[in-house]
Every structure is written in structure tokens, then in C-alpha cells.
Amino acid sequence: MKPSSQDRRSEYITGLRELADWLEQHPDVAVPSDERMLLPLLTNTAVEEFAATHGLTIETDSDGNMAVDLRFGCITYHVYGYVDFAEHRKKGEEKQARAWADSNDMVIQPREVASTPSHADRVVAYRNPWRPGVLLCREHGEGWAGMEPLTSDDLPDGGTCTHGDPADPSDVCGRDVLIDAPQTGGAR
Ligand SMILES: [Zn+2]
């Protein structure tokens, strides 16, 4: 069975006393050089609550992370939190990664994202949603508010641009929007 936090707490306190006794009985044994005992509370809010409850003074570092130190002789009980623990950890990991790269003569670079053409790049024509008979090539359809952009997937049967004067066929654009579509993202 897992010990309850109360059991664990009692054990910890007993252990501390036994450690102190043992060190006292063995004067030739060195004591640790780090006199801090760390209690992470993760958030600044938790540190503020802790400080308020025990009437202690908060110290804030240059990143805004808070800590409270309780001193018992040369031993410090260091209670600390962060503005944003996830962000703090991310920064720490990045620093570590950069240090490693530096010491191995490497640089960290963003991965090149394979460029898949976006929907906007693949637009071949525009349709007027209120007048289904109207289809415009890119040249004639661009910039009109309310026009619906279409890709070749939307036009399985192709289509021709209806821009112009319907009464005068010679004045109608008539461009096949699939064949004459400006090519993007590939060899010309
Ligand atoms: Zn046209």
C-alpha cells in the first residue's frame, strides 16, 4: 500500500531528526555543501499564499518568479514557484539544447516545412454564389467582394469565364479557367 502523505510527512521529519543526530555523533563526517532544501510549489500564487499564511517575505527574480526562504541556521528551506511553469521549463530546455549544440559545433534551425500549396494558391476561378451562371477567371474574378473562390477540384468539368457583355459573344472573355489558369508553385 502507498503511504499516505501524512505518513510520508512523519517519516520525513523523523528522518531529519535522525540525520541531525547521526551527524552530531560523527563529527568527522562532512556536511553537504548545498544547504538548500527545495520545495517547489509551481505557481507564484501558491508562493504568495504560503508567504501570507506564515507571514514571510517574498523574493522575486528578474523573470518575475517568486520564492520564499526560511532559514534554520545555515540551512534554507527554499519554497518557490513560477509565473508560468510550462514556459519556464520550455526556456530551460531550449537553453540546454542550445548549450549542447554550441558545445558540439552545431546550430539549431527550424525544420523546413514542405510547401504544400494552400487553397488560396490553387484558386483557378471565382463563382458568384447568387448567380450560378457566372464564372470568372482569376483575372476577372479577383478582388470582387462576395465571390466564391474555386479550385480545379470544384470544377470537375472545367468552365469558361463569362466576363463581358452577354449580348456580344466577341466581348466575352471565354477563357478556359483550367487550361489558362496561371500556374503557381511549379515550373513554368
Ligand atoms: Zn476572364
Side-chain angles (χ1 to χ4, degrees):
M1 212 175 75
K2 235 174 108 181
S4 72
S5 65
Q6 199 54 48
D7 289 347
R8 157 115 173 86
R9 185 183 171 77
S10 307
E11 265 177 45
Y12 193 91
I13 293 169
T14 306
L16 272 181
R17 291 215 172 92
E18 286 174 359
L19 173 64
D21 288 345
W22 188 85
L23 285 173
E24 203 173 46
Q25 288 156 18
H26 298 84
D28 47 343
V29 174
V31 295
S33 58
D34 189 351
E35 62 287 337
R36 285 192 318 169
M37 299 177 88
L38 305 178
L39 179 64
L41 294 184
L42 299 189
T43 65
N44 274 353
T45 313
V47 174
E48 285 173 317
E49 279 168 15
F50 179 86
T53 306
H54 300 282
L56 301 164
T57 310
I58 292 172
E59 279 161 46
T60 307
D61 73 9
S62 57
D63 291 330
N65 302 320
M66 294 179 174
V68 168
D69 284 334
L70 285 99
R71 289 179 219 284
F72 302 89
C74 68
I75 295 171
T76 303
Y77 197 64
H78 185 69
V79 183
Y80 60 104
Y82 300 98
V83 176
D84 181 343
F85 179 63
E87 184 60 26
H88 173 84
R89 210 169 60 173
K90 221 171 85 181
K91 267 193 196 165
E93 282 169 359
E94 184 187 334
K95 208 171 139 187
Q96 221 175 19
R98 287 193 188 284
W100 181 86
D102 255 4
S103 63
N104 287 280
D105 277 332
M106 291 186 209
V107 280
I108 294 172
Q109 277 188 319
R111 178 178 297 148
E112 256 184 61
V113 181
S115 63
T116 45
S118 69
H119 187 268
D121 290 336
R122 292 168 52 231
V123 168
V124 294
Y126 295 85
R127 175 160 57 199
N128 185 331
W130 298 281
R131 294 172 61 198
V134 171
L135 183 75
L136 299 177
C137 67
R138 284 186 65 155
E139 184 195 332
H140 291 123
E142 250 157 36
W144 292 95
M147 295 299 280
E148 184 190 350
L150 304 175
T151 69
S152 56
D153 299 339
D154 301 317
L155 293 164
D157 301 321
T160 55
C161 177
T162 59
H163 184 266
D165 181 358
D168 178 4
S170 68
D171 189 42
V172 171
C173 169
R175 183 182 290 170
D176 185 318
V177 297
L178 292 190
I179 291 171
D180 298 336
Q183 294 296 305
T184 54
R188 275 155 210 252

